[in-house]
Amino acid sequence: MGEGGFEQFVAARGQRLLRVAWLLTGDAHLAEDLLQTVLAKVWPKWQRIADENPEAYVRRALVHTHASWWRRRWRGEVPHGDLPDRALPQDAYAGVDLEQALAAAVRALPLRQRAVVVLRYFEDLSVTETAEALGCSEGTVKSQAAKALRTLRGRLPSAVTTDGGDPRD
């Protein structure tokens, strides 16, 4: 695949990769910057990676580039308000509230756990594929996923179900 192959790849997979970037960053503009930065890094290597699994390569580059951005960013105090009460099921915007609460909870996870959650549950990768994308063992993926899900359940017990029941039932 030549330069045209890269353009075809970006046209075909760009929206999905942008979604991964958004799930990692939590910000549409940062996600676009992250994806553009990664694609600029990948383009010179395209001839070498085109015949392998370029999407996995780009996903892994997204995770690693985001991690390097995250490590450099100042993380001082961040003001937090109280979480709003859970919306009633007849609320037309309940789904949006749930999505925003879930997205905020995922963004609050530690970097490695967030990457595992995004790749495993939003990108629907297997444990093996996630381990390969992150460059770690399958056991690490499993333990990080378990920790992340436990944290998310603790932060979102009433937002996970709309029937008002305990999500652990």
Side-chain angles (χ1 to χ4, degrees):
M1 272 189 211
E3 188 175 311
F6 181 75
E7 290 174 6
Q8 290 171 347
F9 169 77
V10 172
R13 307 308 293 163
Q15 288 301 312
R16 186 170 182 156
L17 293 168
L18 182 59
R19 184 180 70 173
V20 172
W22 181 82
L23 289 166
L24 289 170
T25 64
D27 179 273
H29 298 292
L30 281 176
E32 289 173 356
D33 289 346
L34 176 61
L35 181 57
Q36 184 175 3
T37 299
V38 167
L39 291 175
K41 288 180 183 178
V42 168
W43 184 77
K45 302 172 186 174
W46 186 251
Q47 294 297 326
R48 184 172 47 99
I49 65 169
D51 295 329
E52 299 290 321
N53 187 351
E55 188 172 355
Y57 186 93
V58 172
R59 270 197 306 264
R60 185 172 185 175
L62 283 168
V63 169
H64 288 289
T65 302
H66 177 255
S68 70
W69 286 7
W70 186 83
R71 281 191 292 268
R72 284 187 223 136
R73 188 185 74 182
W74 178 75
R75 288 175 299 281
E77 282 187 54
V78 178
H80 292 95
D82 292 331
L83 290 175
D85 292 335
R86 185 174 60 89
L88 297 174
Q90 66 268 18
D91 183 354
Y93 300 104
V96 174
D97 293 340
L98 176 59
E99 287 177 14
Q100 289 181 346
L102 181 58
V106 169
R107 284 192 306 274
L109 290 172
L111 187 61
R112 177 61 64 111
Q113 290 178 19
R114 184 181 335 156
V116 167
V117 167
V118 167
L119 295 176
R120 282 281 293 130
Y121 303 106
F122 288 96
E123 278 297 295
D124 201 26
L125 297 182
S126 69
V127 171
T128 303
E129 291 168 330
T130 303
E132 183 180 304
L134 297 175
C136 63
S137 70
E138 291 181 20
T140 299
V141 170
K142 292 175 186 178
S143 68
Q144 292 295 306
K147 289 176 186 176
L149 293 176
R150 186 172 41 250
T151 300
L152 290 173
R153 285 185 188 109
R155 290 183 182 157
L156 300 170
S158 64
V160 173
T161 62
T162 57
D163 62 7
D166 189 329
R168 292 165 277 219
D169 290 341

